[in-house]
Amino acid sequence: MAHTPAARPRVLTAPDGTPFRDLNGNGVMEPYEDPGLPVAERVADLLQRMTPEEKAGLLFQTMVAINPDGSLVEPEPGAPDDDPMRASTSAMVTGKLMNHFNLFGAAAPRRMAEWNNRLQDLAATTRLGIPVTISTDPRNGFVDNPAASVHTEGFSLWPEPPGLAAVGDEELVRAHADIVRQEYLAVGIRLALHPTADLATEPRWPRVLGTFGSDAEVAARMVGAYVRGLQGETLGTRSVSAMTKHFPGAGPQLNGEDAHFPYGREQVYPGGNFDYHLIPFEAAFAAGTSQVMPYYAMPVGTPYDEVGFGFNKGVVTGLLREKYGFDGIVCTDWGLVTDTQIFGAPFPARAWGVEDLDRLTRVERILDAGADQLGGEAAPDLVVELVRTGRVTAERVDASVSRLLREKFVLGLFDDPYVDPDAAARICGSPEFTAAGLAAQSRSITVLKDRPAGAPAPLLPLAPGTLVYTEGIDRAVAAQYATVVETPQEAEVAVLRIAAPYDKERTAGFESFFRAGRLDFTEDELRPVLDVASAVPTVVDIFLDRAAVIPEIADRAAALVADFGASDTALLDVLFGRVKAGGRLPFELARSMESVVAGHEDVPDDSGDPLFPYGHGLRLG
């Protein structure tokens, strides 16, 4: 059922001729409504007008869904309220007085813009008319994971971050983030829950695909460029705020497990490399990142308390606030307080190290640690209770509320939070942006091998019209480059697209989105690839969402290339010589699982004798 909010606030003219949005509906331009005043004065004025409940609502950011037609999600009375795809938008905005939301799901860009305007209209019906800040995980890549990224039709399509690192061009990264900024602005998204400044030092970790690889200095250059592309040199009304994550670096997970789950809660530093993981964050600070997200995991064997980073005062206050002087917004990762369900299965709060604390005390611990906002939670009543009972001071809440309001004012949301649906349809996925994304996909492709055993010359590039057998490629696309045949025996060359392996037995429910465990192929998985390679010279393209262990394929393939998110067109443009690949491996590919297991989780590229080292990449011809 769609909700139709009241009309948006009137734009009035003050006695001095200044136009303003009458957010509280009293016909007078209050200081917080005055676009001509300094942000600090507007924040101070609004802060003293707010009730404890309004302040508490500001401290929570959770998921909100969108209907395909761009209307607000309003379930029938009595529907479950613990599913973000069915939670009532109006209950959160006008009931819980929340005004920060992570957009869950997608619609066409025009519909997303219309949804933003309806949501802002709804927020305008609240007592003070505080506008909503909409955030999102990355939407311009190939992977769809409800915990990490949202592939969105209608947006330009780019390689995942390791692909950008494979190119290694800071200007490409800045231009990419600037296009993301323009597409987000067009639909009303003002906060990016990225970039990821984590390092891929543990190749088994399921979130390697969000990183800029294993080298801290390269990742630092990429992260800095990304933040500048989103925000500009300073945050302003045409910026998208960057929430850099996951402080102080989420890569070194014990045995490569993911901290979304209890078995992955430990972050370890057997190589004594804690400071190495801070280097990309230092670049984000230098670029002016507006926000930072601590990770779920709990550090083990460090000077810091063995509790999740969102609860960790030594990390958030001591390291982030005091050592680095960060005065922006700190928002926790999602779901540290409340047990819930995802896809019908229990999903406990990620309260690692403080599992024994009740919900009220967990919130108290997070605020004491120095965070401003709780991600993935919708429980303002807990903050109200903490202040009412004196466990948290009103001054402590005001400090976080001030930061959160300051950003809304700087972004210009109080003066105009609305967008033009026609412009959204025109800007998002425009021919120019689509072409730029496609070019980046091709540039990021990394050629690992290009000489069949015993052959006097490289196999690539392929000649137009070559008789080609394909697997994993759209035949209609392949037919634009080659003569596509039905069997390997008919072909001059085979082209196979495969993905990196993982433990498929660990794919129930929410865990199915996290490709974890082994990096090597089983015999059953290898057989069909090697059978084709035995029948005809074969090009294998492997999607490296993690650093696969592929010695058998490397040995038998006539040519081997890696991609980090590339369409069939982007790949075939490279294989047939229309576009030059420019990628170099952003992490090493180990020779065996034994060498992966023997490595240190916090040390980059330490397998000892890699099959392909960091930075490897051939140039065709």
Side-chain angles (χ1 to χ4, degrees), residues 50 61 74 118 121 136 148 197 200 210 291 314 335 340 342-343 357 379 388 418 473 505 515 527 530 569 571 582 617:
M50 296 176 70
Q61 177 179 176
E74 295 296 346
R118 292 184 178 109
D121 282 345
T136 187
Q291 302 199 26
T340 186
I342 294 187
F343 303 127
L357 300 182
R388 186 189 66 80
Y418 297 101
I473 295 177
E505 63 271 17
R515 298 191 169 192
R527 188 175 301 112
L530 300 184
T569 297
L571 173 66

Side-chain angles (χ1 to χ4, degrees), residues 138-143 149 151 155-169 172-173 175-177 179-180 194 208-212 222 226 433-446 497 543-545 562-567 570-571 582-583 586:
R139 289 181 175 268
N140 292 78
F142 284 79
V143 175
S149 59
H151 173 70
F155 282 47
S156 59
L157 193 56
W158 294 73
E160 304 289 347
L164 297 172
V167 177
D169 182 346
L172 174 65
V173 174
H176 161 62
I179 288 173
V180 170
H194 43 102
V208 163
L209 195 63
T211 76
F212 288 105
M222 303 296 105
Y226 200 106
F433 293 172
T434 298
L438 180 64
Q441 294 169 40
S442 291
R443 283 185 70 186
S444 69
I445 288 170
T446 302
R497 299 202 76 177
F543 173 54
L544 291 182
D545 63 335
D563 81 83
F564 307 92
S567 66
L571 173 66

